Amino acid sequence: MKYLILGAGPAGLTFANMLLSSGEDDFLVIEKENSAGGLCRSCMVDGSPFDIGGGHFLDVRDPDVTKFVFGFLHEDEWDRYERDSRIDLYGDIIGSPIEANIWQLPDKKQERFLHHIAEAGCNRGEPMPEKFTDWIEWKLGLAIAEDYMLPYNRKMFGEDLDSLGTYWLEKLPNVSYEETKRSCAEHRPYGTQPGHAKFFYPHSYGYGEAFIRMASALGDRIHYNEPVFSIDYDNRIVNGKYSADKIIVTIPWTGVREHIGLPGKLTDSIGKLRYSSVVIEYVPENMDTKAHWIYYPDPKLSYHRILVRHNFCPGSKGYWTETNLTRFDEDKAAEEGRTYFVNEYAYPLNTIGKQELMKELLEYTASKNIYGLGRWGEWQHYNSDVVIRRAMELSIN
Ligand SMILES: Cc1cc2nc3c(=O)[nH]c(=O)nc-3n(C[C@H](O)[C@H](O)[C@H](O)COP(=O)(O)OP(=O)(O)OC[C@H]3O[C@@H](n4cnc5c(N)ncnc54)[C@H](O)[C@@H]3O)c2cc1C
């Protein structure tokens, strides 16, 4: 065939649908699960939608992407929300992002945060540190680092934060002492809005519905229950039986057992890629809040985020939690009959050296007409809208 697409998540589904809409039907998608959507899949739990890969919202910011998605799940089938996300700072609940909402804290805590923002290395002209943990303090001050960023990131990504680089954080805004002081005095937020300031969520379905529809548009051009275990790079043959002119890899490189013909150095590079796993658990009680989601840096709580389902799924109850697998007692949860889903591949980790390693890998594979695409193919923290945009661009180039 002309194109073989590995993985039926948003990346693979978008790429395949772009081919189809350009009149190309000589392709196949192969997927290890029995349904499409990847991390964006949903199911029904307790009579309402549940996103098994964690809370998923469609950012409104890219009109080409929303138009593409609405082509499968019509715009009228989505509700539009103004983001209400909060941080539970050990009992003090304030808006997110933290730097814009310090004014909501009790006075004593505001003073502490302000003091440390003034002392932050970047505000005092100190050189930028190399390590993630030092960098956070340099950028945001000791109080934000200690009370929020470090414990939260440890809970989400795992304990070894020093293996992470700082290149992925450079877009974080500088926290200005003067502006924070003014914000505290005037009791109002300041600064730029975070991603998902406005977002869409389907009115009567989970987020995964859009991708189920993308998959059904492909008919029998998806083979399910077909895990990829080998790629032959010189001959472009997958699992010893599928061969194609071009292969699009949207699955994790680390999940493929046999890399035939790949130079040893690059196979070693794949072995260095790291990721973290997340468990999503359903809790049937309602919460007394209007927030869509709440972040929890407190290390005593196993989960790091709660998604308040009844505030974005009309007619639903309960909430769901996101917990790093290493902090989740699966045996106990199973024994107690709780409802949870394990996502082995949740976050590609931005370890030191990853960018160079991926660049080399992707340049080599592209020379063989094998292209990495999406969260795993490119090993990047892309949200689904970015993955869709990248898949749209790859198909038209
Ligand atoms: C907790 C959490 C919250 C998120 N929230 C948001 C949000 O609010 N908004 C948003 O836009 N994005 C969000 N994302 C990101 C979003 O999930 C991803 O951007 C998107 O799913 C990436 O699409 P993908 O196709 O690249 O990868 P995936 O969705 O991971 O799809 C990969 C596909 O490949 C398949 N596969 C894997 N291994 C193999 C194999 N060996 N053989 C065959 N098939 C295989 C998988 O089963 C899957 O179907 C969130 C992610 C997480 C973890």
Side-chain angles (χ1 to χ4, degrees):
M1 65 201 84
K2 275 199 198 154
Y3 297 92
L4 179 62
I5 300 157
L6 312 185
L13 292 170
T14 303
F15 185 78
N17 272 291
M18 291 300 286
L19 288 178
L20 209 53
S21 63
S22 71
E24 176 60 73
D25 64 359
D26 191 7
F27 67 86
L28 180 69
V29 184
I30 55 178
E31 164 59 49
K32 81 170 166 94
E33 301 292 341
N34 60 11
S35 61
L39 277 169
C40 296
R41 280 174 299 157
S42 308
C43 64
M44 294 298 279
V45 169
D46 210 359
S48 297
F50 177 86
D51 294 346
I52 71 173
H56 275 79
F57 307 97
L58 179 63
D59 203 306
V60 302
R61 281 179 301 186
D62 189 333
D64 295 339
V65 167
T66 46
K67 187 170 167 222
F68 176 78
V69 176
F70 294 158
F72 298 91
L73 187 61
H74 193 270
E75 188 169 3
D76 297 344
E77 301 198 70
W78 299 76
D79 291 326
R80 191 181 157 118
Y81 294 91
E82 305 271 324
R83 165 182 169 146
D84 181 342
S85 62
R86 305 185 190 181
I87 303 167
D88 185 334
L89 270 182
Y90 315 89
D92 292 316
I93 298 181
I94 65 168
S96 171
I98 190 167
E99 64 277 9
N101 293 296
I102 287 167
W103 63 278
Q104 294 174 359
L105 284 167
D107 289 352
K108 272 259 164 282
K109 290 195 182 165
Q110 285 185 32
E111 278 169 30
R112 173 172 133 78
F113 277 82
L114 273 169
H115 166 74
H116 285 295
I117 289 168
E119 293 290 299
C122 73
N123 288 335
R124 285 154 43 112
E126 286 172 12
M128 188 173 99
E130 303 266 297
K131 275 194 192 161
F132 175 84
T133 41
D134 300 336
W135 190 91
I136 287 289
E137 186 182 328
W138 172 83
K139 182 85 173 177
L140 304 171
L142 180 78
I144 297 184
E146 267 187 352
D147 291 10
Y148 182 50
M149 287 298 278
L150 293 175
Y152 186 80
N153 279 287
R154 260 186 213 113
K155 286 175 79 174
M156 185 159 74
F157 294 130
E159 290 298 318
D160 184 16
L161 291 187
D162 279 339
S163 67
L164 303 184
T166 53
Y167 52 89
W168 56 294
L169 296 156
E170 274 151 19
K171 280 181 281 172
L172 271 184
N174 270 344
V175 181
S176 142
Y177 172 70
E178 287 305 328
E179 285 193 84
T180 313
K181 200 167 75 171
R182 197 175 321 131
S183 147
C184 289
E186 294 173 7
H187 284 220
R188 56 163 187 84
Y190 89 90
T192 49
Q193 281 299 315
H196 289 121
K198 296 189 176 69
F199 62 84
F200 294 106
Y201 193 84
H203 182 76
S204 316
Y205 308 96
Y207 191 60
E209 180 67 16
F211 302 97
I212 292 293
R213 304 233 186 146
M214 282 188 201
S216 60
L218 301 174
D220 59 6
R221 292 185 190 84
I222 306 187
H223 285 189
Y224 292 103
N225 302 310
E226 183 87 58
V228 170
F229 58 84
S230 85
I231 303 177
D232 175 338
Y233 291 80
D234 291 324
N235 302 302
R236 282 188 303 280
I237 297 176
V238 167
N239 288 359
K241 62 177 178 181
Y242 297 108
S243 82
D245 297 341
K246 295 188 175 181
I247 299 177
I248 316 300
V249 179
T250 78
I251 64 174
W253 297 91
T254 48
V256 179
R257 267 200 325 272
E258 285 182 305
H259 296 279
I260 303 163
L262 190 68
K265 183 177 175 233
L266 296 179
T267 311
D268 291 347
S269 293
I270 291 175
K272 290 183 189 146
L273 292 171
R274 294 283 172 265
Y275 60 92
S276 70
S277 309
V278 80
V279 183
I280 315 302
E281 179 175 358
Y282 172 62
V283 183
E285 284 95 56
N286 280 2
M287 290 178 78
D288 184 16
T289 176
K290 290 209 165 13
H292 299 117
W293 63 88
I294 306 174
Y295 302 102
Y296 292 84
D298 185 348
K300 289 203 283 302
L301 301 168
S302 56
Y303 50 82
H304 54 266
R305 186 164 76 133
I306 282 185
L307 285 301
V308 191
R309 178 170 77 167
H310 56 82
N311 290 341
F312 57 87
C313 282
S316 72
K317 65 169 186 170
Y319 60 90
W320 64 75
T321 58
E322 294 176 355
T323 311
N324 185 304
L325 179 60
T326 59
R327 302 172 61 87
F328 189 83
D329 187 342
E330 225 187 314
D331 292 340
K332 189 163 173 239
E335 209 177 285
E336 293 172 355
R338 283 148 49 191
T339 305
Y340 66 93
F341 295 84
V342 178
N343 300 280
E344 184 192 355
Y345 283 96
Y347 294 101
L349 296 187
N350 286 315
T351 44
I352 296 164
K354 182 210 77 175
Q355 280 174 308
E356 296 75 25
L357 175 167
M358 280 308 295
K359 184 168 182 286
E360 204 183 352
L361 176 68
L362 294 181
E363 274 173 10
Y364 177 83
T365 62
S367 75
K368 301 283 178 184
N369 285 339
I370 297 178
Y371 304 91
L373 173 69
R375 191 164 174 99
W376 305 108
E378 299 173 69
W379 216 266
Q380 295 279 2
H381 268 202
Y382 293 148
N383 269 344
S384 61
D385 54 315
V386 178
V387 163
I388 291 169
R389 149 80 48 202
R390 294 194 65 79
M392 289 166 79
E393 282 172 357
L394 185 64
S395 16
I396 50 179
N397 282 340

